[in-house]
Amino acid sequence: MTEIPEHLRKRAEEARKKAAGASSASASGGDAPASSSAPAGSAGADAPQSEAASKIPAHLLERAKKARQKASGDDGGDAGATTTATAPAPAAAATAVAAAAPPMAAGPGGHTQRLLTVVKSGSIQDVKATPQDKVHVWPHLLAVEFVAALLCTAFLLIFSVFVNAPLLTLANTNQTPNPRRPPGTSSASRSC
Amino acid sequence: MPNRPSPAQRLADLNNRVQSSQAWNSIFRPGSIFRKGYTDSPRNRSYVIMNSVLYHLHPVKVKRHAVKVSYTLCLGGLSFFLFILLTVTGIFLMFFYRPTAAQAWNDIYTLQTSVTFGLLVRNMHRWAAHLMVLSVFLHMARVFYHGAYKPPREFNWVIGVILLTLTLLLSFTGYLLPWDQLALWAVTVGTNMMGYTPVFGNQVRFALLGGAEIGTDTLLRWYVLHVLMLPFVIVIFMAIHFWRVRKDGGISGPL
Ligand code: HEM
């Protein structure tokens, strides 16, 4: 039932490729400064980045990578200089963003929203592939029901005209109807 | 003579007057197909179901085989219809019946001999009750032989068993109400059997009879069960039953 439109599928594929490329790059380049020279402050900022790399848009990853490269290039072997080196980083990142416009900004028709995910049909819903042969309840079922009800009523009415419900004599706890004699006087019990 | 309208004209006139009356227009709300005039189209066929609270028990469409009489034999539907008939005739009987040992039999006798259609309605109530037990049982057999109790319908089978039990209990409690020899002794036999239930048999019997033996208290007790409690409970379970039929994807397919 749910065919994914071709352009959406292509776009998702491209995005996935781009994300995969960027995350592998940040995994190799991003771990080094965090483990070797970065102070506690910047390590805290780095760690969640590499952890959630796959979910971060490609252009942000790019930006972070550039900033990190710049920082590690500046401080060289000097661990004490990193605190000053992190200060110009945001400025540099800002220029980088301004220079390279985010790749997601222009979709088909100038749309700015982003495709989050494509859910394949059948993964979360049970889609029936074959349409069922169905008929309208009215008139097909209701007519049958009506005729059945009519026949049933007619039968009951006619039967009730001719056959009466039983109404024996008033209830009498001193007389059992069957056998119609006092207990202990039947021939069956006497023969014992 | 030339001034008199023809019957066809009069009929059209009457039709016009009825359909533009306040009563008609307040019953058939704007947009109703009965107000606009029904023409056979898929959309109107759907509206018949969707715009009616009673027909809403049904989906708009059902599988083609589901409307074949030879599949369900209408037995479930007839069980329900007989229950409706029993309710209608039962309410009629209630107008003439008092559930005490001193009055019950006389009330039935008077109903039969001096109430218009009294005998007929009593007969109908009696025979419809028998017919309902029969049709519920046959409906169960139909479901069994179709294997329609299998998943996902196993829960509805359980509801069905409860419905069968309630139907039998309705039948049994009703049996006592005429307070004649047949009623008394049939129920004596039935409740004596209850007394042999292990452990708490006598307590069960005592509670159901409202005493050590059948008497006017039993009659009141069974009357309330018969006209109020059991119908109330069975209606609830029928509602669940019908709801389940639809939730399980309509009635089962042919084997
Ligand atoms: C007061 C009694 C009952 C009423 C009014 C009733 C009514 C219905 C109705 C209207 C249907 C739709 C299909 C059909 O008409 O056959 C149905 C289906 C069904 N009934 Fe009942 N029923 C009753 C008792 C029972 C009993 C005693 C059982 C079994 C123990 C049962 C089990 C089922 C099942 C499993 C279905 C689904 C059948 C299918 O999908 O083919 N019902 N019932």
Side-chain angles (χ1 to χ4, degrees), chain A residues 160-175:
Chain A
S160 298
V161 166
F162 291 107
V163 186
N164 284 342
L167 184 67
L168 306 189
T169 51
L170 176 66
N172 179 359
T173 43
N174 294 319
Q175 196 208 350

Side-chain angles (χ1 to χ4, degrees), chain A residues 132-142 144-145 148-150 152-153 155-157 159-177, chain B residues 38 42 45-46 48-49 55 58-64 67 69 74 78 81-82 85 105 108 112 119-120 122-124 126-128 131 178-182 184-185:
Chain A
Q132 281 201 318
D133 188 16
K134 287 193 164 187
V135 293
H136 273 102
V137 162
W138 168 258
H140 300 291
L141 183 55
L142 290 188
V144 171
E145 282 177 357
L150 221 55
C152 178
T153 313
F155 170 76
L156 199 64
L157 196 66
F159 192 84
S160 298
V161 166
F162 291 107
V163 186
N164 284 342
L167 184 67
L168 306 189
T169 51
L170 176 66
N172 179 359
T173 43
N174 294 319
Q175 196 208 350
T176 59
Chain B
Y38 180 84
R45 286 178 172 196
S46 308
V48 169
I49 304 300
Y55 294 162
H58 298 292
V60 167
K61 282 182 164 192
V62 291
K63 291 174 243 163
R64 185 177 293 279
V67 300
V69 176
C74 289
L78 281 183
F81 181 69
L82 284 166
L85 273 183
W105 187 87
I108 298 281
Q112 292 195 359
L119 178 59
L120 180 68
R122 172 166 185 249
N123 288 347
M124 284 182 72
R126 184 84 172 206
W127 302 136
L131 214 53
W179 202 246
D180 61 350
Q181 281 289 73
L182 183 60
L184 177 71
W185 293 104

Side-chain angles (χ1 to χ4, degrees), chain B residues 147-184:
Chain B
Y149 54 82
K150 292 176 189 170
R153 297 183 175 78
E154 68 274 46
F155 181 62
N156 217 11
W157 177 268
V158 175
I159 300 291
V161 171
I162 295 172
L163 283 175
L164 178 65
T165 311
L166 287 169
T167 308
L168 294 177
L169 284 176
L170 271 165
S171 181
F172 192 47
T173 50
Y175 215 89
L176 180 67
L177 302 186
W179 202 246
D180 61 350
Q181 281 289 73
L182 183 60
L184 177 71

Side-chain angles (χ1 to χ4, degrees), chain B residues 210-250:
Chain B
E213 54 181 58
I214 297 176
T216 193
D217 293 329
T218 318
L219 194 52
L220 177 60
R221 215 160 263 222
W222 288 37
Y223 177 72
V224 172
L225 285 174
H226 184 76
V227 303
L228 204 72
M229 194 183 122
L230 293 173
F232 184 74
V233 175
I234 206 173
V235 162
I236 290 173
F237 277 98
M238 279 185 186
I240 301 173
H241 195 61
F242 300 156
W243 172 74
R244 273 316 318 170
V245 169
R246 287 187 63 172
K247 280 284 165 186
D248 294 336

Side-chain angles (χ1 to χ4, degrees), chain A residues 2 10 22 32 38 43 49 58 66 70 74 76 83-84 88 101 106 116 142 148 151 153 161 166 170 177 189 192:
Chain A
T2 5
K10 271 199 185 133
Q49 248 182 31
K66 270 188 196 146
K70 200 161 193 192
D74 272 2
T83 42
T84 54
L116 287 175
L142 290 188
L151 289 179
T153 313
V161 166
L170 176 66
S189 66
C192 300

Side-chain angles (χ1 to χ4, degrees), chain B:
Chain B
M1 251 358 213
N3 291 352
R4 285 189 67 181
S6 70
Q9 248 174 328
R10 278 195 200 187
L11 202 67
D13 234 40
L14 183 71
N15 195 33
N16 237 338
R17 228 177 310 144
V18 168
Q19 295 204 356
S20 57
S21 69
Q22 184 85 53
W24 178 276
N25 283 304
S26 46
I27 293 169
F28 300 111
R29 55 171 193 77
S32 160
I33 53 163
F34 298 108
R35 195 164 162 182
K36 286 187 293 188
Y38 180 84
T39 48
D40 196 23
S41 68
R43 173 195 284 249
N44 275 352
R45 286 178 172 196
S46 308
Y47 277 158
V48 169
I49 304 300
M50 293 191 292
N51 290 346
S52 157
V53 67
L54 285 181
Y55 294 162
H56 228 102
L57 272 177
H58 298 292
V60 167
K61 282 182 164 192
V62 291
K63 291 174 243 163
R64 185 177 293 279
H65 70 80
V67 300
K68 269 177 88 179
V69 176
S70 57
Y71 187 67
T72 64
L73 304 174
C74 289
L75 286 167
L78 281 183
S79 305
F80 180 57
F81 181 69
L82 284 166
F83 178 75
I84 305 280
L85 273 183
L86 282 162
T87 308
V88 174
T89 52
I91 288 172
F92 179 89
L93 296 180
M94 280 177 78
F95 285 123
F96 305 101
Y97 178 84
R98 287 162 295 180
T100 67
Q103 294 164 310
W105 187 87
N106 268 317
D107 284 349
I108 298 281
Y109 187 78
T110 313
L111 172 84
Q112 292 195 359
T113 50
S114 31
V115 174
T116 312
F117 292 126
L119 178 59
L120 180 68
V121 176
R122 172 166 185 249
N123 288 347
M124 284 182 72
H125 192 76
R126 184 84 172 206
W127 302 136
H130 285 240
L131 214 53
M132 180 171 166
V133 171
L134 192 70
S135 79
V136 168
F137 178 79
L138 291 177
H139 168 63
M140 183 175 76
R142 182 305 271 176
V143 168
F144 179 78
Y145 286 120
H146 279 155
Y149 54 82
K150 292 176 189 170
R153 297 183 175 78
E154 68 274 46
F155 181 62
N156 217 11
W157 177 268
V158 175
I159 300 291
V161 171
I162 295 172
L163 283 175
L164 178 65
T165 311
L166 287 169
T167 308
L168 294 177
L169 284 176
L170 271 165
S171 181
F172 192 47
T173 50
Y175 215 89
L176 180 67
L177 302 186
W179 202 246
D180 61 350
Q181 281 289 73
L182 183 60
L184 177 71
W185 293 104
V187 172
T188 301
V189 172
T191 52
N192 275 349
M193 284 160 69
M194 281 175 212
Y196 290 100
T197 309
V199 188
F200 39 71
N202 279 325
Q203 282 85 339
V204 169
R205 187 167 173 275
F206 192 90
L208 278 166
L209 292 187
E213 54 181 58
I214 297 176
T216 193
D217 293 329
T218 318
L219 194 52
L220 177 60
R221 215 160 263 222
W222 288 37
Y223 177 72
V224 172
L225 285 174
H226 184 76
V227 303
L228 204 72
M229 194 183 122
L230 293 173
F232 184 74
V233 175
I234 206 173
V235 162
I236 290 173
F237 277 98
M238 279 185 186
I240 301 173
H241 195 61
F242 300 156
W243 172 74
R244 273 316 318 170
V245 169
R246 287 187 63 172
K247 280 284 165 186
D248 294 336
I251 70 164
S252 57
L255 285 175

